[in-house]
Amino acid sequence: MPVNTGINTPSLQTKMQPSASSFFGTVEVFNCGNLTERIQTNQMSSATQMSKSASSFPADQQDQWSRGSQQQSTTGSSGATGVRRQSSGGGDSWSRGKELPQPPPERPGRGGGRGAGGRGGRHDDERYDQGPPLLEGPVKPIERTSNRWRPTKDTSVLAATEKKVKGILNKMTKTNYERLSQQICDITIPSNDVLSMIINRVFEKAIDEPSFGDTYADLCVRLSKSVNPDSFLHFMEEKKGDDTISHRWSSNIGTSDSEIFGPFRSEAECLDAAFLEDTEALRPINRGDIELTLVKPMIIDGIFIKIMKQTQVDEDKEALPNFFAVFFPVEDAEACGQQLSEPFETEDLCRKDARKMNSSKRCLLNKCEDEFKKQDIYVDWKREKKVYEAKKASLTEAECNEIQEVLEMKRIKIKKQMLGNIRFIGELFKKRLIKASIMHECILSLMKLQKAANGGLEQAEDDEMDEEDHEALCQLFNTVGEEIDRNSKDRQIELYFDRIEVLSNDNALTSRSRFMYKDLIELRLNGWQARRKQETAKTLDEIRKDAAREEYLTQQQQQQQQQQQGREPFRSSDRREPTNRPGFVDTRNVDPRKNSGGQAIPRGQQVGRQNLPTPESSKRFAQAKNAVQPDGFTQILVRGPNALPASSLRPTPLEPKISSPKALDTDKLKSRITGIRAEFLNDQQNEAELLASVDGLSGTPGLEAKLVLLNCEWALECKAPERQGVIKMLLILLKSEKILPEHFESAFSELIEFIDDMTVDIPKVYDVMGELLGELLSFNALSLSSVCTECAKIPLEENRAELIQKIMKYAEKANGPNACASCFRANEGALITLLGPEKWGSIKPY
């Protein structure tokens, strides 16, 4: 069946004309120049497409779609009812080639409530234009409501920085302090909020880890020196209607607002937009990925205005609007998250106050003061315990034990943080970040004392110390007592300890508090030298140093014990049986008195006065009894006529047995050498300890060559200052003859042979190797002829020449050009053999 595509265009325009919004969406007013023509064109094309698509259906589907059906439209929001349509079996009303039927006249206000493009909203422009006006009478002016739009503070930068700071602090130790502290100092600080966040995170770590208090105090010192508040401070003028000008500062003006106004073509347009009467009509836009830079902030007639400019990417876009603004009343600054200072009369006063209030030291002191002045640190814990006590009867025993354990852990944590806070404040005082006057105020606050009119101290009214105050006071004096005692000019510390003396004898206190005060008094009497060394954080080098020292002392003790065991002391059996010792007479059953015949009288036998010894013999016996021998023993035995001389009676000491250090396997030897090197690099002036540590390895065969090899291998990959330290250590060992030149030759024989393989991991290996060899050649640790012999193992001639050039460079740097030329001239034959006369002639320094 042929399809008739003829369409009556006027009728189509009248009956099927959709509104502009159904085809094009919402049409802006400034884009409607040829709107009528475009709508008509699209209507024609749409009608043609509809006709063509209808002919493509099968016959049965064509009948189905041409058959009239009863359709009931829904009731719209306006209350109008749709039109009921009927058709007889032939479907004449929808026959092709005929004019579409006219709909019945619509009453005003019809449209089904579904918009201009919905069902029931089809009407011609004339009828639409003739409708009643939407608003009648005067329009009520727009009022500013309490929930009006305000710019929201962007916290994405703060969150990202906080995550980075936490990651650095969690990895910080004494060993990597220098590197990680520099990373924190290098963080860009765009506002005082970021600076305060960094200070708070450092403070929290310090009180959670009291043993690292000095480390975090050093970090605060470093921050106070590196942070410049001028990098995030902004100053602005505040102009009022009466032409008065004041000055304000802000520490958190940024360009990362999530919503902004614009774009505008100039700063003047930004100002005009800020002072429109119907500011509610201006709608902010999402900033998205727009990169902005701050032009200027200002305050005019109570309105804060921040003008920003888009960062230009293409010079061709210079003419496009690229200014944006954020503005709001000054009274809304706090709600918007914008910090503004009080107004100042002059700019100098404003700048002085801004720098004072935004220094890192001020942020740190504010945090310390807030933590120190907490009235009751257990207030939350007491509340939780009260809740637990209220419902304890309804809980099982297991639940009660679990809650009690949680409460106890919280109590311990709170107390630990309190003591950590006190200790950290003391560490800051020792670093000169807190003044002595502030420290005295802290002490008076803990002791609940106040200065009296006569210059002394008196008890504060209605204020008594609790258990935490006693412990905190002792902790504070343990940390800063020596510093205060040494620098106190008015001897106020004497008044403190007079009070402490009273508290140490106060029976109303717990025994624990009294003994803490007694220990504190004893500590001061001992010159603030604690009986037990307080544990602090240590570097890995310090730990290795302590371990090596303990091992060295253990070996010394073992050697002393072996030496003592090598002697032959008098055994207990010798004392019980003195007859076993040569030259001694058993007098246990012999009375020291003798008869007239010179014979000894048995004990217990009565003798007459005639048998008593004469006064001369008694005197001689007493002298003999009290005589002290050179060996320290008292001679109490009587010699017989055949007794041996006194010198032969002393025991002959044996030679002490001195054990040599045990041989170490490869892994232990590497570990010990690494520890010795780290210990020396940490304290390069302690040569005696270096030599003693090397002596402790003397039992290992081939120690000297391995010592040189392992240290030189490490020096190839370390930094320049550490490499110089290794060279210094090796030269000290060379000077003390712990290692010899042949040990250097043995070590470098292996290093030079595989130098080409090292270039993969150490790109500058030739330069570093030349530095090592040049320094060692300057101090005669190696001979140039032996170096030339080892360099012959390098396959390529240009590589051999490069190494020789590097050696000459550092040898000249160490000893000067004349000494270098003399050394190489003396070994010119070996160099010509190595490089050839032509190559050597091109690089020789003379």
Side-chain angles (χ1 to χ4, degrees), residues 785-802:
S785 59
S786 63
V787 172
C788 293
T789 302
E790 301 301 332
C791 288
K793 300 176 182 178
I794 301 176
L796 299 178
E797 180 181 342
E798 56 269 20
N799 292 343
R800 296 196 295 267
E802 181 181 1

Side-chain angles (χ1 to χ4, degrees), residues 69-85 106-107 110-114 118-122:
S69 61
Q70 295 181 358
Q71 296 180 351
Q72 179 69 36
S73 66
T74 60
T75 302
S77 60
S78 63
T81 306
V83 180
R84 183 187 300 271
R85 293 174 179 166
E106 296 183 5
R107 290 175 292 178
R110 296 173 64 89
R114 301 185 62 178
R119 187 181 300 170
R122 303 170 186 171

Side-chain angles (χ1 to χ4, degrees), residues 438-487:
I438 297 178
M439 191 55 55
H440 285 293
E441 291 181 7
C442 293
I443 295 173
L444 293 175
S445 176
L446 290 174
M447 300 181 76
K448 310 302 181 186
L449 298 176
Q450 61 185 7
K451 291 185 178 181
N454 58 359
L457 300 176
E458 61 183 8
Q459 187 71 31
E461 297 180 359
D462 300 330
D463 206 355
E464 296 182 357
M465 298 178 68
D466 54 20
E467 187 67 24
E468 282 70 27
D469 290 333
H470 295 300
E471 189 167 357
L473 180 64
C474 294
Q475 177 67 64
L476 185 59
F477 270 109
N478 283 328
T479 306
V480 303
E482 182 179 6
E483 192 77 15
I484 293 178
D485 200 1
R486 184 173 60 249
N487 298 327

Side-chain angles (χ1 to χ4, degrees), residues 235-248 298-301 343-347 350:
F235 302 91
M236 66 201 81
E237 292 183 348
E238 182 177 8
K239 299 179 181 179
K240 298 182 180 180
D242 54 356
D243 295 335
T244 58
I245 297 177
S246 58
H247 300 270
R248 291 181 186 251
M298 62 185 71
I299 299 176
I300 302 177
D301 292 337
F344 294 88
E345 295 182 357
T346 63
E347 184 177 359
C350 182

